[in-house]
Amino acid sequence: MKIIGGISIFLLTAIMLLQVSWLNSMRNTKLHEFQEKSSSLLQRSINDFLDAEFMYPQHTFSCSMLDNHIFHWKDTSVHISSPTEFHFMLQQVLYDHLYKNQLLNLQRLDSIYKQQLSRQGITDTPVLYLKNEIDETILQTHAQSTHRTVRTNPVKVGYEYKHTIVALFHKPPFFHDTFWHLILEFIFLGSFTGCLLWQLQMTKNKLQTAKIQSMGIAHLEHELRKPLATLINITHDWIIQEKPSDKKILELIHARLLKISDVTEMMLFALKQDELKIERTPIDIRQELETTVSMFRLLKKHARIDYQIREDINQPLLDNVYFSCVVANLIDNGIKYNKNPKPEVRIYFEKEAGNWILRVEDNGIGIPSKAFNRIFRQFYRIEDKRTYSKTGFGLGLAFIKKVTDAYKGSITIKSIQEQGTVFTIKFPCI
Ligand code: ADP
């Protein structure tokens, strides 16, 4: 699934990049076309403009043709070989005349150019610039910022003056840099990839849950009930046969197995229920914690388990069935997920702002904060090389959550890797 996800993301990125490069080359081609078209229209407009200027009587000036191939103007003589060249020379000297006598009307050229452009479907308004030999602007039709503009090729005018005319257009949006296209494409790509990864993760989770759930609680019943029943029978036989000195220990083991069997039954039952029903009853909290803790002290001799109850607390209204199981699960986890040679678990029972507070602290391996929400799901176990060897079904915390919800309470976790974990459970007093 990871490979397919990777390939999809790679293909998508490749498509996006191809699209951006295609857009870029399209943009360049179109920009080039636009420049070519507007430049040739500018050339044509300047020709039309100069031809029209001949009609104004005040623009008359004298020039002559000698022997049909010498164009003579003032003290200048130029050899020409065709009527086109003659026409061209006439236009150039007319330009010099107009410019020299301050008769050049750039606005007239501008309106001719606009007409030509609109005939070709270009409605943008250009600014015309008249520039001298060293590219300084001498005249312009109106003010405009030169930012984001497209300019035509310069058209040479004048024989003596050697000026140029260029037109500047605001860049149509299509011609703007592809930078923003790129940003948008990448935002889109990022969101898409995020969604894809999220979906992959969800599918993975679902598959994992489905796989584990396929084992089913029925399978667990088989795994737990049968061995427990067998052990109970064996220890029962031993108690009958063994010497009185071993009898005490065997009786304790037998009692413990019976308790585990009860707890297993009760947990399996509870997990199958959509909602638990808690029957509140005053419990002797000291007795309750002492029983559970001494059981663990007997079974997990290497561990240190302490409990502390606030002095003024006696018989909180909790329940006889589930509460002790919650404590037992937390102690068990505190010892199980612990790399210390001497695991330590401390239990505190307090009262605060209308809640009974059960706090269980351990000095174990800790829980990564990203797993805080997930560990309460049924069958969820943290995939960690430190916990591979630990047996479990991922049901303990799911059960604790179910009980806490039934109490309408809450659970908080504080954990530091390699230092330990603190589970705080609040049970409302009423
Ligand atoms: P189980 O212990 O049977 O796997 P739980 O529901 O009790 O199931 O715990 C779920 C997971 O949470 C465990 O697999 C373990 O990785 C992690 N976990 C629970 N309690 C602790 C703890 N006190 N310290 C470190 N990890 C813990």
Side-chain angles (χ1 to χ4, degrees):
M1 202 176 330
K2 265 188 194 159
I3 296 173
I4 293 175
I7 293 175
S8 317
I9 292 167
F10 171 77
L11 286 178
L12 206 74
T13 316
I15 290 171
M16 292 280 182
L17 289 174
L18 279 175
Q19 201 186 337
V20 168
S21 92
W22 176 79
L23 257 177
N24 210 22
S25 73
M26 272 286 288
R27 168 185 166 268
N28 288 339
T29 315
K30 287 273 170 200
L31 195 62
H32 186 70
E33 270 175 23
F34 181 82
Q35 268 174 326
E36 288 294 309
K37 200 169 183 180
S38 53
S39 300
S40 86
L41 286 176
L42 180 63
Q43 176 71 69
R44 199 187 300 168
S45 304
I46 291 171
N47 290 343
D48 290 356
F49 162 73
L50 290 172
D51 287 348
E53 291 298 292
F54 278 117
M55 306 302 156
Y56 289 91
Q58 70 270 37
H59 295 173
T60 47
F61 64 96
S62 65
C63 62
S64 57
M65 275 290 281
L66 302 176
D67 300 337
N68 258 351
H69 60 272
I70 303 289
F71 182 85
H72 188 78
W73 178 59
K74 287 197 196 160
D75 48 359
T76 311
S77 296
V78 180
H79 184 272
I80 52 168
S81 53
S82 67
T84 319
E85 268 185 43
F86 173 69
H87 183 212
F88 176 74
M89 269 311 292
L90 261 183
Q91 284 180 335
Q92 302 313 308
V93 296
L94 172 63
Y95 172 82
D96 286 350
H97 171 77
L98 293 178
Y99 181 71
K100 194 170 185 178
N101 297 295
Q102 295 179 352
L103 296 168
L104 185 70
N105 189 335
L106 215 54
Q107 299 299 339
R108 268 209 292 264
L109 170 62
D110 187 49
S111 73
I112 293 173
Y113 188 38
K114 276 185 199 150
Q115 278 170 24
Q116 299 263 14
L117 288 168
S118 80
R119 257 180 247 143
Q120 295 294 321
I122 302 172
T123 49
D124 306 7
T125 317
V127 183
L128 293 181
Y129 287 83
L130 180 65
K131 303 208 170 222
N132 64 15
E133 284 156 75
I134 51 168
D135 209 35
E136 285 170 345
T137 301
I138 313 168
L139 277 175
Q140 72 185 80
T141 44
H142 54 268
Q144 179 191 278
S145 117
T146 49
H147 182 59
R148 290 200 167 184
T149 48
V150 184
R151 62 173 61 217
T152 60
N153 301 326
V155 178
K156 288 182 183 154
V157 281
Y159 181 75
E160 198 181 318
Y161 283 108
K162 314 230 178 302
H163 288 168
T164 52
I165 297 177
V166 279
L168 250 73
F169 292 83
H170 265 300
K171 235 185 220 177
F174 179 78
F175 297 138
H176 291 175
D177 295 340
T178 39
F179 176 75
W180 289 108
H181 287 285
L182 266 174
I183 295 283
L184 279 175
E185 297 257 344
F186 277 103
I187 290 176
F188 172 75
L189 181 69
S191 327
F192 188 88
T193 313
C195 290
L196 201 71
L197 287 176
W198 180 74
Q199 212 164 4
L200 278 174
Q201 187 58 39
M202 294 304 280
T203 320
K204 198 177 141 199
N205 286 351
K206 275 200 182 135
L207 281 176
Q208 199 183 13
T209 314
K211 195 173 129 204
I212 302 167
Q213 297 242 4
S214 70
M215 283 164 61
I217 289 184
H219 179 69
L220 281 182
E221 285 174 334
H222 171 77
E223 291 285 309
L224 291 172
R225 262 195 196 136
K226 259 198 162 173
L228 276 173
T230 318
L231 280 172
I232 289 166
N233 288 339
I234 292 172
T235 48
H236 179 73
D237 293 349
W238 284 352
I239 291 166
I240 297 165
Q241 296 158 13
E242 286 301 313
K243 294 171 253 160
S245 57
D246 295 336
K247 209 171 169 179
K248 184 105 184 79
I249 299 171
L250 280 172
E251 269 171 4
L252 268 172
I253 296 175
H254 184 71
R256 172 62 186 148
L257 283 172
L258 282 173
K259 177 82 180 167
I260 294 176
S261 175
D262 278 357
V263 166
T264 308
E265 291 296 329
M266 184 261 294
M267 266 182 71
L268 288 171
F269 169 78
L271 285 165
K272 281 192 245 172
Q273 305 304 304
D274 286 337
E275 217 173 295
L276 285 187
K277 213 172 143 34
I278 300 288
E279 290 199 7
R280 295 258 196 169
T281 176
I283 62 159
D284 184 339
I285 186 72
R286 279 185 180 74
Q287 176 67 45
E288 195 76 34
L289 290 186
E290 180 57 38
T291 314
T292 315
V293 166
S294 56
M295 222 159 52
F296 276 99
R297 281 181 185 149
L298 185 74
L299 290 169
K300 315 265 176 179
K301 290 209 169 61
H302 67 300
R304 183 192 161 137
I305 310 152
D306 293 320
Y307 68 94
Q308 209 174 307
I309 301 168
R310 215 175 76 177
E311 274 163 26
D312 56 339
I313 300 175
N314 268 323
Q315 294 212 317
L317 264 188
L318 291 165
D319 79 277
N320 261 329
V321 188
Y322 302 115
F323 176 76
S324 63
C325 227
V326 168
V327 180
N329 265 299
L330 290 173
I331 301 175
D332 191 42
N333 281 351
I335 301 170
K336 186 160 64 165
Y337 300 110
N338 205 316
K339 290 270 168 214
N340 278 295
K342 192 155 185 69
E344 281 177 26
V345 179
R346 286 171 212 282
I347 305 146
Y348 298 87
F349 193 83
E350 290 154 1
K351 189 178 179 185
E352 191 187 282
N355 291 301
W356 301 117
I357 312 284
L358 170 71
R359 204 166 72 243
V360 179
E361 301 180 357
D362 65 56
N363 61 346
I365 58 172
I367 302 173
S369 55
K370 63 176 190 285
F372 281 3
N373 286 328
R374 279 179 249 157
I375 52 174
F376 294 105
R377 290 185 202 150
Q378 275 190 19
F379 303 108
Y380 181 83
R381 304 200 73 215
I382 295 174
E383 281 178 26
D384 188 323
K385 58 179 184 313
R386 295 170 304 175
T387 58
Y388 277 153
S389 56
K390 308 290 174 188
T391 49
F393 293 96
L395 289 175
L397 291 179
F399 167 79
I400 291 173
K401 177 84 170 66
K402 212 158 207 174
V403 174
T404 314
D405 286 350
Y407 268 101
K408 303 211 176 349
S410 63
I411 311 175
T412 48
I413 309 173
K414 275 189 192 150
S415 189
I416 303 177
Q417 291 290 303
E418 309 300 342
Q419 286 191 31
T421 306
V422 182
F423 280 91
T424 307
I425 307 187
K426 286 186 185 176
F427 301 100
C429 291
I430 3 141

